[in-house]
Amino acid sequence: MCDDHGHSAAEAAWSAPRVAEGPAVDPVTLPEVDEVRVTTMVDNTFDALLAPAEGVARASVAAGRTAARQFAGGEALAGLRAEHGFSALVTVHSGNASCTLLFDTGASPDGLAVNAERLGIDVGGLQGVVLSHGHFDHTGGFDGLARLRGRSGLPLTVHLAVWTRRRLALPAGRTLEMPTLSRGALEREGFEVIERRQPSLLAGGILITGEVDRVTEFEHGMPQAHQAWDGNGWRHDPAVIDDQALVINLRGRGLVVITGCGHAGVVNIIRHAMRLTGVSKLLALIGGLHLSGPAFEPVIGPTVAALTELAPELIVPGHCTGWRAQHTLAAALPDAWVQTSVGTTCTLGAPQTGDASSRGGGRRPAPELAENRDHGRS
């Protein structure tokens, strides 16, 4: 389906992740940053009535004014676009320097771009795009992004197995082949493709995990229905070896981990991040945890138990987490859990002398989203 890249996607797809024992093989010195700001650009839900909280700003109910002749004023409040996909805008600040990356691009060609325009976010200052993995619901928004930016040579960092053909085996012998990314098409749109399978430290102190060590006894990956083309035929693809996450070290507070789907297992991802960085404190977890559906619901219990022991101050599960896992997490971590919604911005700051967070309490307040419209600017 996608044969315009010059290497064997099958070879990359079937490389087994290493088993982790002892300290990290390739430890990373992850610099501390002063502030992390994460805006959910694409997710499965949008709720215009959610109230802001400390450190959590919500999109205005007035976002997304569109023409509608049936109303006296000639316009409707359409809100933001929700779809089965994920994308997050990640900004880090260190002193006077800042860096903004886009993590995943959602499912549809235009959903990400529509939400960026409705939120007033300028993507012209993006310093890069990172893909969590190659599934279509995380890689679909490049057309809209290119429309907003033009051909600009924006770096796009991916695992080299991101081009792998995949499909779902459905009942009654039916199959559904997923859309597969084309490297050539992305390069023609002006994206500078960078392939990495090892951990990568990006500008601003943002770490890409690369391939994640699989160490837990309960996170077994995708069920039999998930298959990949290995060059000769379709095989069960449990690992989704290209799955990776972002990790940021907030000064004095710990790690912020951002996942796309968490196909490697969210506990595996967190432990991998801790081994790589030597930082043992999980401050925040944001993104998809892939605990939805019969194949993954048995994993909810041990996952929530492990996360409860890690005691993050903020957890914003989204996308493929599933309602059963959301309810379980909300009950287990009521002070940390935040309901996801497109347009939500979470801001985490390093402790200031004498403030509550320096004593281990609370999250730093974030201004209203309308005042945060410099996300995409460098």
Side-chain angles (χ1 to χ4, degrees), residues 62-271:
R65 292 180 179 272
T66 58
R69 289 179 294 176
Q70 71 269 30
F71 294 112
E75 64 178 12
L77 302 178
L80 300 177
R81 181 83 63 83
E83 61 186 33
H84 183 82
F86 183 76
S87 176
L89 194 69
V90 182
T91 299
V92 297
H93 294 276
S94 298
N96 294 324
S98 67
C99 176
T100 298
L101 298 176
L102 187 67
F103 186 52
D104 290 347
T105 66
S108 68
D110 63 339
L112 168 64
V114 166
N115 287 339
E117 290 175 312
R118 291 181 180 180
L119 289 168
I121 291 176
D122 177 12
V123 297
L126 283 174
Q127 288 158 279
V129 180
V130 177
L131 292 183
S132 64
H133 63 298
H135 281 164
F136 66 95
D137 49 333
H138 296 254
T139 60
F142 282 101
D143 282 354
L145 183 60
R147 174 178 65 80
L148 293 182
R149 289 184 50 87
R151 292 177 55 85
S152 59
L154 187 66
L156 168 61
T157 304
V158 302
H159 187 282
L160 67 165
V162 77
W163 323 107
T164 304
R165 289 176 60 188
R166 291 183 168 114
R167 74 177 188 180
L168 296 175
L170 304 175
R174 296 177 297 122
T175 60
L176 173 64
E177 186 161 350
M178 303 181 191
T180 305
L181 271 182
S182 164
R183 175 171 183 160
L186 290 169
E187 290 177 335
R188 287 190 291 272
E189 289 287 353
F191 294 97
E192 178 190 347
V193 177
I194 302 167
E195 294 180 332
R196 302 268 179 82
R197 66 182 303 169
Q198 300 298 328
S200 303
L201 186 58
L202 303 181
I206 300 175
L207 175 67
I208 308 174
T209 60
E211 292 179 16
V212 174
D213 295 327
R214 316 298 170 99
V215 298
T216 65
E217 296 179 353
F218 54 88
E219 293 171 313
H220 303 299
M222 297 293 282
Q224 289 288 333
H226 186 261
Q227 301 176 347
W229 180 258
D230 71 353
N232 297 302
W234 293 98
R235 297 185 186 176
H236 179 209
D237 176 24
V240 191
I241 196 64
D242 44 318
D243 186 78
Q244 52 190 359
L246 298 186
V247 183
I248 304 161
N249 186 13
L250 186 60
R251 177 169 54 82
R253 300 189 67 187
L255 297 180
V256 177
V257 177
I258 306 168
T259 66
C261 264
H263 286 299
V266 66
V267 181
N268 279 330
I269 291 169
I270 294 167
R271 291 180 180 177

Side-chain angles (χ1 to χ4, degrees), residues 5 18 90 111 122 130 141 150 211 303-304 353 366 368 376:
H5 40 86
R18 66 181 186 269
V90 182
D122 177 12
V130 177
E211 292 179 16
T303 299
V304 173
T353 303
E368 291 302 315

